Amino acid sequence: MNKIIAIIPQKCLGFGGAFTCYEGLSLIPEVELQMFENFQPTLDTKLVIGFGLTPPKGNYWTAFVFCSPILQCEFSDELNLLNGKIQEVNKGILDYLFFLHVSSAEALKSIWGEKIKWLLPLFNKKLPEPQFEDRKGICCGGIKRGNKNNYNQALAMAISDYKEEPLITFGASTKTVLLRLSKDLFKQNWKSYDWVQPNNKYYNILRKVKLGLQVSLSESFCYFTLELALLKIPSIVSKTVYWYANEPKLKHCVVENPDDPLEIAEKINFVLNNESLYLELCEISYKVAQKTLAKNLNEVKKIFGGIIK
């Protein structure tokens, strides 16, 4: 049996897009998950997929998964990282470069050909049952930085009609610019939870919120929106969360201009001020998430099958 090994370094374990994508590959029967530090290929290994670090060369195909949205380059130097991985492909150090973002994959594929592939994200975590009673609060995923994207969302929350609970976020520290300024600038407090905590605690917090807020300026599959949808909680998003925004029945959740806090606030108000619409969106978002993951699983099987055939 042809075998695929996905490897990830210790530093990347835990929450985050890279780890979630890595873990999701375990849904493919041919895939075995290993730690980078303990990597042990076998004679039947046909493909090794690296997260965080380039996999070592061997008698198999190699691939690296580029997880970072390009628009985050101002914070984490992703453009230099991207260039480095492209050069590894050019020099034959890597056979394939996988992207989670369709626009980046298709654009770079036109330059580098079939060595660039869109790896549709998978998800393999056990979530608790959705909870409808006592839902309150709007959760905005991972506000760590005082950038314009997060400013827009925080301002929209502050001017919205929703006043039952402060804005909820994960991964934000007390030193974050917007957290420090929120009380004075927006006349609101935020409730912040540590991002690094056990899955069951994270999801038990998440399933009690009423609405998600992920109006991103960058291209993203957005696991945060997916997790909420699987808990039957809708999110306000931009069109960059393509799998969600492409569903016509979720039009009330999609912001046309992610740089407009007034429009974001209007979407929040419209969804939360109409209880019947809200409950309908809860069910639709759940079905869209399930449909998307089923489609992604079939597509990833085809991609891997085309490489290891």
Side-chain angles (χ1 to χ4, degrees):
M1 176 179 172
N2 291 337
K3 183 174 169 183
I4 301 169
I5 299 178
I7 56 177
I8 193 169
Q10 182 73 33
K11 67 178 183 178
C12 294
L13 290 182
F15 279 92
F19 177 72
T20 303
C21 182
Y22 161 81
E23 194 175 51
L25 292 183
S26 62
L27 291 170
I28 308 291
E30 294 82 4
V31 173
E32 177 184 326
L33 303 183
Q34 293 186 13
M35 296 298 299
F36 186 93
E37 292 82 357
N38 301 318
F39 172 53
Q40 292 184 334
T42 56
L43 291 177
D44 59 349
T45 301
K46 299 299 181 182
L47 172 65
V48 178
I49 304 170
F51 290 81
L53 294 171
T54 300
K57 292 291 289 183
N59 191 28
Y60 43 73
W61 300 107
T62 59
F64 179 84
V65 181
F66 192 87
C67 299
S68 300
I70 303 302
L71 277 182
Q72 289 183 1
C73 64
E74 63 181 290
F75 303 114
S76 303
D77 205 25
E78 271 87 353
L79 283 182
N80 279 329
L81 173 61
L82 172 60
N83 182 54
K85 295 306 174 185
I86 288 288
Q87 295 312 312
E88 288 182 5
V89 170
N90 187 34
K91 296 174 183 177
I93 299 171
L94 270 174
D95 295 305
Y96 297 99
L97 187 58
F98 293 156
F99 285 86
L100 303 185
H101 316 111
V102 58
S103 57
S104 296
E106 292 304 312
L108 287 168
K109 184 177 178 179
S110 67
I111 301 172
W112 296 95
E114 291 301 320
K115 294 181 178 180
I116 305 297
K117 295 187 179 295
W118 177 30
L119 181 66
L120 291 78
L122 304 177
F123 187 79
N124 191 22
K125 291 181 183 289
K126 184 174 177 57
L127 275 62
E129 288 296 315
Q131 175 179 318
F132 283 91
E133 65 276 8
D134 300 323
R135 282 186 177 181
K136 57 184 179 181
I138 297 177
C139 189
C140 189
I143 294 183
K144 285 186 176 181
R145 305 167 176 122
N147 61 20
K148 186 63 160 62
N149 180 31
N150 292 333
Y151 166 87
N152 290 336
Q153 295 179 95
L155 180 55
M157 167 68 179
I159 64 175
S160 73
D161 295 340
Y162 189 79
K163 306 300 181 185
E164 294 180 26
E165 188 83 6
L167 185 68
I168 299 167
T169 188
F170 289 89
S173 73
T174 55
K175 296 181 179 179
T176 299
V177 174
L178 287 181
L179 275 179
R180 285 192 285 108
L181 294 179
S182 63
K183 189 172 183 179
D184 295 330
L185 188 60
F186 303 128
K187 293 185 178 180
Q188 71 171 149
N189 291 315
W190 291 3
K191 182 181 289 186
S192 175
Y193 294 96
D194 188 359
W195 183 254
V196 183
Q197 53 188 304
N199 279 2
N200 57 345
K201 184 176 180 181
Y202 169 70
Y203 290 121
N204 278 329
I205 294 170
L206 206 60
R207 71 176 179 153
K208 295 177 183 178
V209 306
K210 194 169 182 69
L211 186 69
L213 195 59
Q214 190 67 27
V215 188
S216 176
L217 296 174
S218 65
E219 72 281 12
S220 176
F221 175 77
C222 191
Y223 282 114
F224 173 70
T225 299
L226 175 74
E227 290 168 333
L228 288 169
L230 292 173
L231 293 169
K232 295 190 175 183
I233 299 169
S235 296
I236 305 299
V237 303
S238 70
K239 289 185 176 181
T240 59
V241 188
Y242 61 88
W243 63 272
Y244 202 85
N246 288 345
E247 170 54 55
K249 293 180 180 179
L250 289 174
K251 63 181 180 181
H252 300 298
C253 294
V254 182
V255 173
E256 292 291 328
N257 181 7
D259 197 31
D260 185 353
L262 294 175
E263 184 188 358
I264 299 171
E266 286 175 2
K267 293 290 183 178
I268 293 172
N269 292 340
F270 193 82
V271 169
L272 293 185
N273 288 339
N274 187 330
E275 186 64 19
S276 61
L277 172 64
Y278 173 77
L279 293 174
E280 182 182 6
L281 293 174
C282 290
E283 296 299 325
I284 294 173
S285 60
Y286 177 71
K287 292 176 182 178
V288 169
Q290 287 189 312
K291 179 181 176 182
T292 298
L293 289 177
K295 176 185 175 183
N296 286 7
L297 181 59
N298 288 331
E299 291 300 317
V300 173
K301 286 179 179 179
K302 292 178 184 178
I303 292 168
F304 289 170
I307 293 174
I308 66 175
K309 62 183 177 181

